[in-house]
Amino acid sequence: MALVEAALNPAVEAVTDLAAYMSLHSADPGSGGANELSGGSPAYARQQLSWAAADDGEAAITGTETFNIPAGSTVAYIGLWTAVTGGTFLGADELASSETYTGQGVYEVTAATLTAT
């Protein structure tokens, strides 16, 4: 069954209401949010998200999320969480290409879209 926009948009907005924070992961986070980055100076931390209203079953973040990346880390996945620490892991997406940092660095997410399918 294919859902119409009137059903898709509320479904996407229900998830974006929960998905308040983005995380970065060095490998597949599985169903529990494993492999999240940690450490560094300045320290890695999840970033709070702001979402645009859903349209046509999609919602996008409204801004740039900047993460501090510890030396020796690989960024391969982004994840969504309900809290800045702990919380409930909501899911992840693999990046088109991973990036490995030999020294402390910064990673920016300028666009991320949640799509109901």
Side-chain angles (χ1 to χ4, degrees):
M1 170 189 314
L3 297 176
V4 297
E5 187 172 350
L8 293 175
N9 289 342
V12 168
E13 288 181 351
V15 175
T16 59
D17 286 347
L18 293 172
Y21 294 89
M22 181 180 285
S23 59
L24 298 178
H25 302 260
S26 60
D28 188 348
S31 62
N35 303 308
E36 185 173 2
L37 302 184
S38 64
S41 181
Y44 161 84
R46 294 178 192 166
Q47 298 300 304
Q48 189 167 15
L49 299 173
S50 178
W51 295 91
D55 183 40
D56 200 24
E58 295 184 346
I61 61 171
T62 61
T64 299
E65 305 309 323
T66 302
F67 295 86
N68 293 306
I69 307 300
S73 296
T74 298
V75 177
Y77 287 78
I78 61 170
L80 297 175
W81 295 83
T82 60
V84 67
T85 60
T88 301
F89 179 66
L90 301 173
D93 197 18
E94 185 173 13
L95 299 172
S97 62
S98 63
E99 188 171 339
T100 300
Y101 290 74
T102 55
Q104 178 79 19
V106 172
Y107 187 86
E108 289 187 341
V109 178
T110 57
T113 302
L114 178 65
T115 304
T117 54

